[in-house]
Amino acid sequence: MAEAFRIGRYKVHRIEEWQGGFSPPEALFAEFEAQAFAQVADAFEPDCLREGMIYGYLQSWLIDTGDMRVLVDTGAGNGKQRPGIPIFGDLDTGFLSRLADGGYSPEDIDTVFCTHLHIDHVGWNTQLQDGEWVPTFPNATYCLPAVDDSAWNPDGDQYRTMSGAQVNANVYEDSVVPVLASGRCRLVNDGEAIGAGMTAVHAPGHTPGHMVLEVCDDGDMALFTGDILHHPMQVYRPDWNSVYCEDRSQAAETRLKVLNRAANNDARIVPAHFGAPHSIFVERLPNGRFRPQNAIPIQGG
Ligand SMILES: [Zn+2]
């Protein structure tokens, strides 16, 4: 499988776990406005919208620097019990065989970086072996956001305040605890280096500890943005949150900040759930709004 793109000398592969119709747009976006969506909806067909449903992916990104292999986000995982979001429960996908198609085995991964600790970003952290959840990538250091680790721990005080606790049921127990117990976990804070040219940047709102992985090499920059953006509609409307965003005003503020950072640096935005082309560049319009590069202009910009 050919690489998806490069960041300087670094090769990046897209490892797909799942694709499908996820939900109608009005059910995904907390601030949905039908008229604004209709203005650009045609441009989303069929990769990001099909038959009135938001079409989405679960995908991981593998950055190969030549010296180090970093896997960004780990999807939903196989065989997990997900009463809060059955669509991602008890999956049986060929994620690891697609990793193998890219030329990599689980043993090759040096670092796993989870942008946040939601169900669809930590799943392959572990796999079931002899009835126990064990780390899937035996040689990897798992970099998890420290702030999210506190927030999502069911034994902590903050957990009771998390609106996503029901959707995220079981996730901390089967996909985070075994990694912590293995001694392979590194809890990461804002500004810490993950590898050469790679920095974890706190980007809160979707979850309290959400992080963006900024990767620079040879004058190129890419921002691995996790769920700062779920869908390209949010490039046009950064004020639209998903219903899964914990703190909506903070999430919208962070989204705008990330879009500005990408536009100012001509950086590629690499999200977790976008349909083809799966990653995008954005441009800032004179009126301060944004659009994906090469997108058709829309009325009112
Ligand atoms: Zn997600």
Side-chain angles (χ1 to χ4, degrees), residues 1 6 44 62 96 103 115 122 139 175 198 200 222 228 232-233 255 258 291:
M1 188 177 59
R6 291 193 180 198
F44 299 142
L62 194 157
L96 292 182
T115 55
V122 298
N139 301 320
S175 302
M198 300 184 199
I228 300 301
M233 184 63 205
R255 195 170 300 115
V258 169
R291 72 178 178 209

Side-chain angles (χ1 to χ4, degrees), residues 218-270:
D218 217 11
D220 280 354
M221 184 192 271
L223 308 177
F224 291 80
T225 55
D227 282 357
I228 300 301
L229 300 150
H230 279 83
H231 189 272
M233 184 63 205
Q234 291 167 298
V235 175
Y236 298 100
R237 293 299 300 265
D239 55 326
W240 285 18
N241 296 289
S242 85
V243 294
Y244 304 106
C245 292
E246 285 286 333
D247 182 331
R248 287 177 186 167
S249 65
Q250 193 180 48
E253 194 184 310
T254 290
R255 195 170 300 115
L256 200 56
K257 207 167 146 185
V258 169
L259 286 167
N260 272 304
R261 182 138 179 87
N264 291 345
N265 294 281
D266 201 20
R268 183 189 290 272
I269 291 180
V270 192

Side-chain angles (χ1 to χ4, degrees), residues 120-121 227 273:
D120 53 323
H121 296 260
D227 282 357
H273 303 308

Side-chain angles (χ1 to χ4, degrees), residues 61-73:
W61 297 96
L62 194 157
I63 309 162
D64 190 340
T65 71
D67 297 323
M68 182 186 183
R69 284 148 301 275
V70 180
L71 188 67
V72 181
D73 285 334

Side-chain angles (χ1 to χ4, degrees), residues 105-116:
S105 71
E107 289 76 15
D108 293 332
I109 305 302
D110 300 293
T111 299
V112 171
F113 181 87
C114 296
T115 55
H116 62 298

